[in-house]
Amino acid sequence: MEEFIVDGTRSDCGQFRIGTFKKLVLNMIEKFSNCTLTAKHCKNKHKRMKEKYQYAADDMLACSGFGWNEEKQCIEIDSKD
């Protein structure tokens, strides 16, 4: 997926273009010959992961003790526990 971002296969609104998941499946089949995934399966998996990430990020950043480290691009926790 990172390669597709670098190659510019996302539209202006940040979503992946229609053929991106098809290309992803072809790359996976090339590397893993027994891969049985489809473009629809990859798209749905991506959607669910995005939802889970957004849910976790929103909840964590709304709580006291959590913050975003811009330099490291990660969530930081103020507690040692």
Side-chain angles (χ1 to χ4, degrees):
M1 297 300 289
E2 288 178 10
E3 291 173 16
F4 294 127
I5 293 170
V6 171
D7 292 342
T9 57
R10 290 195 296 180
S11 62
D12 293 335
C13 63
Q15 300 294 319
F16 286 103
R17 293 189 178 135
I18 295 170
T20 304
F21 292 101
K22 290 179 183 177
K23 290 179 185 177
L24 175 64
V25 169
L26 292 175
N27 287 351
M28 291 177 71
I29 290 171
E30 187 178 298
K31 293 179 181 173
F32 308 102
S33 59
N34 60 348
C35 178
T36 60
L37 295 176
T38 64
K40 185 176 182 177
H41 182 255
C42 291
K43 186 175 182 178
N44 289 337
K45 192 68 144 173
H46 178 261
K47 180 181 174 183
R48 290 291 299 146
M49 286 176 51
K50 210 163 95 172
E51 289 171 359
K52 289 179 181 181
Y53 168 81
Q54 193 62 47
Y55 177 75
D58 289 346
D59 284 354
M60 290 172 75
L61 293 175
C63 293
S64 176
F66 291 93
W68 181 254
N69 182 323
E70 190 64 38
E71 184 179 313
K72 294 181 181 178
Q73 295 288 305
C74 66
I75 295 175
E76 289 186 334
I77 303 170
D78 292 338
S79 173
K80 293 183 185 194
D81 295 338

